[in-house]
Structure formats: structure tokens, C-alpha cells
């Protein structure tokens, strides 16, 4: 049987290249970024909602 050690099950959807994951507070659209950005200045391109940094 397959040995389950947990570390093999890294979620594929998780973008490991990106350090910061910004998410729209309204429509939950994700905006992964490699660098920080000013969430006061950037808005969601889908709905115009505010972004928040998700850890
Ligand atoms: Zn949005």
C-alpha cells in the first residue's frame, strides 16, 4: 500500500512561486503576487472590490 506521510500531498493549486496571496473581499478572486503591493491602491479587476492579504 501507499505510505501516507502527508508531505506528498501538497495541494496542487497552491502557487509556491508566489509569496503573497491577495484575495478579493467580495468575490474571492485570488491575486497571487511575488511582491507586495499596496492594497489601498489596487482593486479587484472583476468586481472592483477591495483586496486583502491572505496568509
Ligand atoms: Zn472581486
Amino acid at each position: 500500500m501507499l505510505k501516507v506521510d502527508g508531505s506528498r500531498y501538497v495541494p496542487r493549486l497552491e502557487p509556491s512561486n508566489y509569496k503573497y496571496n491577495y484575495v478579493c473581499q467580495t468575490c474571492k478572486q485570488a491575486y497571487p503576487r511575488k511582491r507586495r503591493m499596496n492594497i489601498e491602491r489596487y482593486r479587484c479587476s472583476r468586481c472592483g472590490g477591495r483586496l486583502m492579504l491572505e496568509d
Side-chain angles (χ1 to χ4, degrees):
M1 287 297 284
L2 209 67
K3 192 181 175 187
V4 177
D5 63 5
S7 63
R8 291 178 181 274
Y9 292 90
V10 179
R12 278 188 173 184
L13 288 175
E14 198 159 58
S16 55
N17 269 348
Y18 300 104
K19 293 178 74 175
Y20 305 100
N21 190 37
Y22 294 92
V23 180
C24 174
Q25 293 183 19
T26 307
C27 71
K28 308 304 179 189
Q29 170 71 41
Y31 294 95
R33 288 289 184 272
K34 289 179 182 176
R35 304 174 68 182
R36 296 192 72 133
M37 63 179 187
N38 191 345
I39 57 175
E40 313 243 318
R41 292 177 61 182
Y42 289 89
R43 295 296 167 98
C44 176
S45 58
R46 273 177 64 182
C47 73
R50 302 200 64 170
L51 304 181
M52 63 178 179
L53 183 59
E54 199 170 67
D55 230 330

